Amino acid sequence: MILAAADESLADLSNLLVYSSMAVYALAFLAFTAEWIFGSRSKVGRTAAALTADEAGAEAAGAAARQPAVTVRTAGGTSVLDPPKVVTRSATPARDAVPDGPGAANGDLRGDTYGRIAISLTALAFAMHLSAVVIRAISVERGPWGNMYEFSTAFSMVIVGVFLALLAARRNVRWLGLPLVTTVLLDLGLATTVLYTESAQLVPALDSVWMWIHVPLAIICGGLFYVGAVGSVLFLARDRYEAKIAAGGTPRPLTASVLERLPSSVSLDKFAYRINAAVFPVWTFTIIAGAIWAESAWGRYWGWDPKEVWSFITWVAYAGYLHARVTVGWKGRKAAYLAIAGFVAFLINYYGVNIFFDSLHSYGGV
């Protein structure tokens, strides 16, 4: 009786910390917004200059590059034509000379101050968020990911943790702050209002050591895939902007002010690729771990359950993305669409399958 009351008190404390972290995330959202608003207006000239510099020379070099190089050499009095070397180049992005933008603060002291405040608030909210997840685990005496509410809170916690870890590693990712905090607020809002489930124990069949391997890895992979997907979406916007500038177009002032502050399309493309390439082997192992857990719980490794199907679809999408970049040389928009499709499949696997499909993986309380 006493233990049950203690567990209930811990669950209430966890809920309170979740709501408190949401309040601080909201303040961080306002600070990130202020960073973008009060950062000085960016200048289109920076990108335009990089894209049009020495245009005549670039056109001449491009024309020369397009001409096959045929070498004539003499061998024993006979002229021999060596065949030209075939060089395969990716179509996009091909604007390596474009510099990265200065970030949301745009080099402005006032904007930078708001950005630093936003990071501090995000770190504070993350500490509360992490504490809530840990206390939930203590209250249920198992991993804090046994239903959709717990999965959502842990998932958003991992997203923020990845963001702060990249900042701690001195990576230029502060531009991620606004979309990331916005997403976390939406995820926690959905978790606390629609997906909330009282703490309870798992059914015996699922109470396994593989729960501590398969589900945490799925959460970590999802958080990293999210970061890669944001990079791909922003790449598409920035690439279109740079293409318009290169074609002599004049973007709207607000569009220029936002997109000029982001990294170049080349940098965003590389960022998304490195994240997805690093996560893919872990996602592969996650599916294998799930199959082993399924054999232990249900007596079969694979049964084409809806969640298993969508896990496989997600794997195929990211495998196609990585394969296309390595063998076909896809960079840019086609690759970005594949990466985004992979993350959409992950979201369908998480929300759609759990809510709309009859699955062995469906969480209780939904």
Side-chain angles (χ1 to χ4, degrees):
M1 193 75 176
I2 297 176
L3 290 177
D7 291 342
E8 186 177 348
S9 298
L10 287 174
D12 291 340
L13 177 58
S14 174
N15 296 338
L16 177 61
L17 285 171
V18 168
Y19 284 111
S20 299
S21 68
M22 290 175 64
V24 181
Y25 279 131
L27 294 176
F29 169 81
L30 294 176
F32 277 122
T33 303
E35 180 186 18
W36 282 92
I37 292 175
F38 292 106
S40 59
R41 286 278 184 180
S42 55
K43 297 179 180 178
V44 180
R46 182 169 56 255
T47 293
L51 291 171
T52 58
D54 198 14
E55 186 174 339
E59 288 180 359
R66 287 191 295 272
Q67 306 248 346
V70 179
T71 304
V72 181
R73 57 184 173 85
T74 303
T78 304
S79 296
V80 180
L81 297 179
D82 287 340
K85 295 181 179 180
V86 178
V87 180
T88 302
R89 301 181 185 276
S90 59
T92 58
R95 295 179 286 273
D96 295 327
V98 178
D100 289 341
N106 203 23
D108 180 77
L109 182 60
R110 187 179 182 188
D112 184 65
T113 300
Y114 280 111
R116 292 177 182 274
I117 293 173
I119 295 300
S120 299
L121 289 170
T122 303
L124 175 60
F126 173 75
M128 295 178 176
H129 196 165
L130 175 62
S131 299
V133 172
V134 171
I135 292 174
R136 177 80 175 197
I138 296 173
S139 70
V140 296
E141 300 178 351
R142 56 168 173 75
W145 38 70
N147 51 61
M148 288 189 69
Y149 167 75
E150 294 173 357
F151 192 102
S152 295
T153 54
F155 174 69
S156 54
M157 181 199 70
V158 168
I159 290 175
V160 181
V162 170
F163 174 59
L164 294 176
L166 290 173
L167 287 175
R170 299 186 180 279
R171 295 293 185 265
N172 178 26
V173 293
R174 207 160 87 183
W175 46 271
L176 267 173
L178 184 57
L180 182 140
V181 170
T182 303
T183 304
V184 168
L185 278 172
L186 291 174
D187 180 68
L188 290 178
L190 181 65
T192 55
T193 57
V194 178
L195 304 177
Y196 181 75
T197 304
E198 294 291 342
S199 58
Q201 295 302 315
L202 292 175
V203 296
L206 299 180
D207 191 6
S208 167
V209 66
W210 287 102
M211 181 186 180
W212 291 90
I213 299 175
H214 172 68
V215 184
L217 286 179
I219 293 172
I220 292 171
C221 289
L224 289 167
F225 279 146
Y226 164 81
V227 173
V230 172
S232 295
V233 170
L234 293 179
F235 159 77
L236 292 174
R238 173 79 187 200
D239 182 64
R240 186 179 298 276
Y241 168 75
E242 290 178 5
K244 185 174 184 177
I245 292 293
T250 302
R252 296 177 180 178
L254 179 60
T255 301
S257 179
V258 172
L259 296 181
E260 272 285 302
R261 307 187 198 192
L262 295 175
S264 69
S265 61
V266 173
S267 295
L268 288 168
D269 183 61
K270 290 179 180 178
F271 173 80
Y273 171 69
R274 289 169 180 170
I275 292 287
N276 292 327
V279 179
F280 181 74
V282 184
W283 179 247
T284 302
F285 176 74
T286 301
I287 295 177
I288 294 172
I292 296 173
W293 187 14
E295 195 280 332
S296 174
W298 302 318
R300 88 293 189 278
Y301 289 99
W302 194 268
W304 297 106
D305 182 80
K307 185 167 284 289
E308 294 169 349
V309 170
W310 279 99
S311 295
F312 180 67
I313 291 173
T314 303
W315 186 91
V316 169
Y318 280 106
Y321 165 79
L322 296 175
H323 179 75
R325 289 190 66 111
V326 172
T327 59
V328 184
W330 277 9
K331 293 182 180 179
R333 304 190 71 84
K334 292 181 179 179
Y337 290 135
L338 271 177
I340 293 170
F343 185 67
V344 169
F346 179 88
L347 290 180
I348 293 174
N349 187 22
Y350 171 42
Y351 287 106
V353 171
N354 289 341
I355 296 175
F356 300 110
F357 289 85
D358 184 15
S359 166
L360 288 173
H361 292 77
S362 296
Y363 293 106
V366 178

